[in-house]
Amino acid sequence: MVSNGGGNSGSKIRWGELEEDDAEDLDFLLPPKQIIGPDEHGIKKIIEYKFNDDGNKVKITTTTRVRKLANTRLSKRAIERRTWPKFGDAVHEDVGSRLTMVSTEEILLERPRAPGSKAEDSKAVGDSMAQLVKGGAVLMVCRTCGKKGDHWTSKCPFKDLAQPAEGFVDKPPVAEANMPGGAVKGAYVPPSLRAGAERPAGTEMRRRNEENSVRVTNLSEDTREPDLLELFRPFGPVSRVYVAIDQKTGDSRGFGFINFVNKEDAQRAIDKLNGYGYDNLILRVEWAAPRTN
DNA sequence: GATGAGCGG
């Protein structure tokens, strides 16, 4: 069975457009439509050519008087302007057919950063911009240690040691003693942050766990993240897999990283998979050095 | 032989 799925492709004929198209096909044989006026008396002439039913060319002249709008008094200058010949793109336009014209002028837009320019430089600029004072307040304030203008929360030297500083969104608002049930008026507290919620010791509520990072090298070109996950998952919960990709070509750079939730699992994976034959290559699996920023 | 992108209040 053949179906064209309702699309416009294929040989499906749209009859509604056919007639129009046929008429247009012959138009180029005819002299262009001429519009004269309106003159100061409001007389407008339209001279156009058409093919009649017998296929003969006929000239049609239409003379109309343009009605003046009530309450409209045209100045002498305005009346005079209407007698001017059309110019520019408007010569092809009927009188009053369009109040605005589409400009075909090329306008070049300036981009703050042209593609291919040095990303390093602009990043450095961006970071220093973040430290700039806006309305008297320093923008970059670390939410972990509270230091201003030095580093972002994610780059805090204490991010793995300290609990977030007071007064930031990581902690629920302090309950007021006089509120029933210790609730803060109007403040929603997610279940995970409510009093008495399970918070296993040693578990940090970080956005991302960069701990227990394992590097795997000597991957074949076509190893992707799902493949790595499949390979490493049996050792325990994996929080992240990453395969380095060449930004230009999109090809794998032949190495990747796996983050384990538990250090022991990572160690077992290293022990088992280092030297393991995978896709006819010998994998190298070891602890990853901390990322250099 | 090789050590990741991106995200900002």
Side-chain angles (χ1 to χ4, degrees):
Chain A
M1 188 165 70
V2 177
S3 157
N4 68 6
N8 283 334
S9 59
S11 57
K12 203 169 190 177
I13 295 162
R14 290 193 283 181
W15 298 101
E17 291 177 4
L18 203 59
E19 217 179 333
E20 235 177 36
D21 291 347
D22 279 0
E24 272 172 8
D25 282 345
L26 301 171
D27 274 355
F28 71 96
L29 296 169
L30 297 166
K33 182 170 160 183
Q34 277 179 275
I35 298 160
I36 302 157
D39 60 15
E40 63 272 26
H41 305 295
I43 302 300
K44 179 176 124 181
K45 272 187 187 176
I46 300 168
I47 301 165
E48 54 190 331
Y49 299 86
K50 279 197 173 140
F51 287 106
N52 65 12
D53 292 341
D54 303 325
N56 295 317
K57 192 163 82 177
V58 290
K59 178 181 176 181
I60 304 163
T61 308
T62 317
T63 307
T64 51
R65 183 150 169 254
V66 178
R67 194 162 57 93
K68 262 195 191 176
L69 289 171
N71 302 329
T72 303
R73 272 185 52 205
L74 294 174
S75 69
K76 269 191 177 174
R77 290 276 301 148
I79 292 165
E80 196 252 338
R81 280 201 294 275
R82 294 192 170 198
T83 66
W84 291 358
K86 289 179 184 297
F87 56 90
D89 289 343
V91 292
H92 309 298
E93 295 291 329
D94 200 350
V95 170
S97 65
R98 279 209 278 169
L99 293 174
T100 55
M101 301 295 297
V102 176
S103 169
T104 54
E105 188 187 349
E106 208 171 301
I107 295 164
L108 297 172
L109 299 179
E110 248 180 64
R111 289 211 227 167
R113 176 155 66 86
S117 68
K118 279 188 184 174
E120 310 298 312
D121 294 354
S122 23
K123 181 162 170 45
V125 169
D127 272 3
S128 62
M129 287 298 278
Q131 300 173 45
L132 284 181
V133 173
K134 188 182 182 184
V138 178
L139 288 180
M140 196 168 64
V141 179
C142 175
R143 284 176 167 162
T144 297
C145 72
K147 197 165 179 182
K148 290 174 185 172
D150 188 53
H151 53 256
W152 292 102
T153 307
S154 58
K155 298 212 177 124
C156 178
F158 311 110
K159 70 174 172 178
D160 292 324
L161 306 169
Q163 284 300 110
E166 296 284 344
F168 286 104
V169 291
D170 286 5
K171 283 206 164 184
V174 177
E176 284 178 40
N178 59 355
M179 292 295 289
V184 174
K185 201 173 164 185
Y188 173 76
V189 178
S192 60
L193 292 177
R194 285 176 198 164
E198 289 292 320
R199 209 84 73 85
T203 305
E204 297 208 36
M205 287 291 285
R206 291 275 155 258
R207 286 189 264 204
R208 199 171 49 221
N209 185 10
E210 285 284 275
E211 289 302 282
N212 309 321
S213 191
V214 172
R215 179 187 63 157
V216 50
T217 54
N218 214 28
L219 291 169
S220 69
E221 277 300 278
D222 39 41
T223 304
R224 296 291 130 138
E225 278 148 13
D227 307 316
L228 276 197
L229 183 62
E230 194 186 10
L231 187 63
F232 282 87
R233 272 244 349 212
F235 297 93
V238 169
S239 55
R240 192 177 71 117
V241 277
Y242 177 86
V243 170
I245 299 292
D246 187 299
Q247 293 297 96
K248 271 187 265 192
T249 65
D251 295 335
S252 163
R253 290 169 65 192
F255 67 93
F257 297 90
I258 300 96
N259 289 86
F260 279 92
V261 174
N262 305 305
K263 193 178 176 186
E264 320 80 70
D265 297 335
Q267 186 62 64
R268 286 195 302 118
I270 290 168
D271 295 343
K272 265 272 175 35
L273 292 181
N274 188 27
Y276 180 82
Y278 184 73
D279 260 4
N280 62 48
L281 288 173
I282 306 291
L283 291 188
R284 249 178 85 153
V285 184
E286 50 211 329
W287 288 110
R291 188 205 303 267
T292 51
N293 264 328

